[in-house]
Amino acid sequence: MTRPNIVIVMADQLAPQFTGAYGHPTARTPHLNALAARGMRFDAAYCNAPLCAPSRFAFMTGQLISRIAAYDNASELRASVPTFAHYMRMLGYRTCLSGKMHFVGPDQKHGFQDRVTTDIYPSDFAWTPDWEAADERIDKWYHNMATVKESGIAEATYQIDYDDEVGFAARRWLMDRARDRAQGNDTPFLMVASFIHPHDPYVARPEWWNLYSDSEIDMPATTLALEDQDPFSRRVMDGIEASTVALTEEEVRRARHGYLANVSYFDAKIGELVRTLEETRSLDNTIVIVTADHGDMLGERGLWYKMTFFEHSARVPLVIAGPGIAQGTVKNACSLVDLLPTLIEMGGGSPDMAAEPIDGRSLMPLARGGADPTDEAIGEYCAEMTPAPVFMIRRGVLKYIHCDVDPPQLYDLARDPAELNNVATDPAYAEVAKAFAEEVAGRWDSAKLRADVIATQKSRRALHAAMEAGAGEHWDYNPPSDASQQYVRNHMDWTVAAARYRYPPVEEA
């Protein structure tokens, strides 16, 4: 049996609630909708850490962030930790990353054979938090309300430039694989195309902004007064200045307008990649996966961006379509760590390939339309705006959130999908709350984890200061390019080059 190609299309900060595929009445996402209609839509998929780099490192390694010390956006992903790119290379796949993965450290490929763009964010230790001064803002890189207030229309931004480059490079790479196939090379491939949109700032080009009228923009369903916020949410609001900087209704509407516009922009990138697969006669043998690193609160509960375990922040879209994938929806809770074992199974591998403990399970039984007794997602947050680790267990319809310095939170999502009623002290939930508390105490040593986080923060801040003073070279990735081997050059036969570049090739008489 021919092994499938795999294309993973990743968004940044895309909450599934703001897509048509997941039921938003206004969001224009025809390409994601089409994939969901012919494939499997996972309705309770979560990130394992609601922040970019930690989430992506869990996604790449199949391991929780506490296991690999991937605590925040300046944590190094060690070169010694295997990723799914390593395993897929071992299975004979050609692998490629186009776009963002927020790798921190000198290894900027982590098993990808090809990396065709640079990253969009720093690859060093610049964004290291300080838990010993957890209530102090780091103005240089903390989120604030400026990105909400500045929402609107622009012809160009650094994010638009970046995603246009990512999309072009990904399509070119897919075309090159078709050219290889025309030359007799049938090596299966795995490509990750990872875009920055719809991540804030909420600024969109006119053609995407104009898809929506102001009257179509739904406002946050839930707003809470500052005094009604739980302690962790209050810390996040203080950190992003939402507790001190007031927003008008018009500013909130414009931000949500820009976000929806950029959701449609990202959806168009999905469409471009699917079209390229069609043009290269690859779609019928390619599994397409669409997901994101985390969501965006977008004003719900008075919160913005991510960094919490509420549904708009912690849930992610997960749609899988292609050969061997059934049509339907999955209600089981799952998370991004499940994708590594899923990919290994797609590629014909087995779980015993794993060189390190894997915290996820393969989702292929569910993707094929079968059953899975596991209905669970685990989350950890060890980054800015908290002085101690925050843990989440989503099991069945229940979600439990724990932080040593805060009261516990327990939500029954079947009865309370908006998470407005914390039942952690409700007598009717006393036994289950007690069981969750005991599970947290047994699963994590929170005090030790906190000490480990602080120790790495100190080391990284010192190393960053040394690098700023000139110690060592920067780690930002420079994609290799050799113009002497491109297009037509003097050492080439131009007819051979033309035949190589043309796809489909001219058929011989």
Side-chain angles (χ1 to χ4, degrees):
M1 179 179 175
T2 303
R3 289 180 295 165
N5 304 310
I6 303 167
V7 171
I8 302 172
V9 190
M10 196 169 201
D12 196 320
Q13 210 159 295
L14 175 57
Q17 295 91 336
F18 294 103
T19 68
Y22 282 85
H24 192 280
T26 302
R28 292 163 174 80
T29 53
H31 303 291
L32 181 59
N33 297 1
L35 288 172
R38 70 177 178 88
M40 193 62 70
R41 187 190 74 199
F42 290 76
D43 289 351
Y46 288 83
C47 64
N48 302 101
L51 194 68
C52 297
S55 175
R56 290 163 182 273
F57 298 174
F59 158 73
M60 287 291 306
T61 65
Q63 301 188 60
L64 294 172
I65 65 167
S66 61
R67 189 187 294 278
I68 56 173
Y71 302 130
D72 53 62
N73 277 343
S75 289
E76 180 181 6
L77 179 56
R78 300 190 313 275
S80 60
V81 180
T83 70
F84 64 69
H86 290 108
Y87 293 123
M88 298 307 283
R89 286 291 299 133
M90 291 166 63
L91 290 169
Y93 275 69
R94 181 157 183 175
T95 57
C96 173
L97 170 61
S98 179
K100 175 185 175 179
M101 203 51 69
H102 212 139
F103 290 144
V104 174
D107 185 350
Q108 288 292 306
K109 294 184 78 172
H110 289 284
F112 285 108
Q113 183 176 357
D114 302 318
R115 187 171 187 188
V116 291
T117 72
T118 189
D119 214 307
I120 194 168
Y121 285 153
S123 60
D124 59 15
F125 300 138
W127 292 359
T128 303
D130 184 358
W131 275 11
E132 293 180 309
D135 58 346
E136 294 181 10
R137 274 186 50 81
I138 303 175
D139 284 328
K140 184 177 180 180
W141 56 266
Y142 268 27
H143 279 80
N144 59 44
M145 291 296 96
T147 54
V148 176
K149 289 181 172 291
E150 295 169 3
S151 302
I153 305 172
E155 300 294 342
T157 66
Y158 73 90
Q159 298 197 154
I160 294 170
D161 284 4
Y162 187 75
D163 277 355
D164 284 351
E165 178 185 352
V166 169
F168 172 81
R171 297 194 309 275
R172 171 69 65 85
W173 190 87
L174 290 174
M175 189 61 72
D176 281 344
R177 302 293 70 74
R179 290 164 172 150
D180 288 346
R181 192 170 64 251
Q183 301 282 324
N185 182 349
D186 287 329
T187 302
F189 60 78
L190 177 145
M191 185 186 74
V192 179
S194 184
F195 299 91
I196 185 67
H197 284 92
H199 192 291
D200 61 283
Y202 310 115
V203 179
R205 279 186 53 84
E207 62 267 33
W208 305 110
W209 183 276
N210 293 336
L211 283 178
Y212 301 90
S213 64
D214 284 348
S215 62
E216 293 179 291
I217 306 304
D218 58 328
M219 297 295 281
T222 303
T223 55
L224 297 176
L226 201 57
E227 60 270 19
D228 294 330
Q229 300 283 358
D230 65 275
F232 180 44
S233 295
R234 177 60 189 266
R235 289 196 299 273
V236 171
M237 292 185 72
D238 291 345
I240 64 175
E241 298 184 329
S243 56
T244 55
V245 177
L247 298 174
T248 67
E249 182 176 307
E250 176 58 24
E251 287 170 335
V252 173
R253 179 178 288 106
R254 285 182 67 83
R256 290 167 74 94
H257 191 152
Y259 185 86
L260 281 175
N262 284 330
V263 169
S264 293
Y265 170 75
F266 167 73
D267 184 75
K269 297 301 183 187
I270 299 174
E272 290 171 2
L273 292 170
V274 170
R275 186 173 67 248
T276 302
L277 292 171
E278 291 174 335
E279 292 169 349
T280 57
R281 289 45 165 187
S282 303
L283 185 60
D284 288 345
N285 191 42
T286 300
I287 294 175
V288 179
I289 302 172
V290 179
T291 191
D293 53 359
H294 50 73
D296 191 325
M297 293 302 293
L298 212 65
E300 299 292 334
R301 308 175 68 94
L303 296 168
W304 292 84
Y305 319 124
K306 51 271 187 174
M307 298 167 286
T308 73
F309 283 111
F310 293 118
E311 290 290 277
H312 282 78
S313 169
R315 267 188 57 202
V316 296
L318 180 58
V319 172
I320 305 177
I325 306 300
Q327 293 175 286
T329 59
V330 171
K331 297 191 179 301
N332 297 54
C334 61
S335 66
L336 292 177
V337 293
D338 297 325
L339 284 175
L340 181 144
T342 302
L343 294 170
I344 288 176
E345 185 171 348
M346 286 178 179
S350 60
D352 59 12
M353 286 184 65
E356 295 188 359
I358 299 301
D359 292 307
R361 89 272 191 184
S362 174
L363 300 178
M364 283 306 293
L366 292 168
R368 295 189 187 104
D372 181 356
T374 304
D375 187 4
E376 175 184 280
I378 302 298
E380 304 169 327
Y381 184 77
C382 296
E384 59 264 25
M385 303 176 201
T386 181
V390 185
F391 308 115
M392 179 203 76
I393 302 173
R394 163 74 197 266
R395 185 172 295 122
V397 299
L398 299 176
K399 181 194 290 184
Y400 187 78
I401 303 171
H402 171 91
C403 180
D404 285 354
V405 299
D406 299 330
Q409 298 178 70
L410 176 62
Y411 299 100
D412 185 334
L413 297 177
R415 297 182 178 181
D416 178 29
E419 300 170 287
L420 296 176
N421 185 22
N422 179 9
V423 296
T425 58
D426 186 329
Y429 291 83
E431 289 188 14
V432 70
K434 180 174 182 291
F436 273 124
E438 291 173 350
E439 181 176 350
V440 167
R443 183 186 285 267
W444 290 283
D445 185 337
S446 184
K448 181 181 183 302
L449 180 55
R450 181 177 186 273
D452 290 344
V453 170
I454 291 173
T456 71
Q457 289 175 350
K458 289 181 176 179
S459 295
R460 288 180 283 140
R461 286 198 303 274
L463 288 167
H464 177 63
M467 292 178 74
E468 288 282 275
E473 298 180 358
H474 69 79
W475 296 328
D476 299 312
Y477 184 67
N478 263 325
S481 179
D482 184 355
S484 70
Q485 302 301 316
Q486 296 172 2
Y487 304 112
V488 177
R489 297 294 183 259
N490 284 335
H491 64 278
M492 302 175 186
D493 182 327
W494 75 268
T495 60
V496 173
R500 157 69 182 165
Y501 274 95
R502 180 165 175 166
Y503 186 86
V506 177
E507 294 184 2
E508 294 183 7

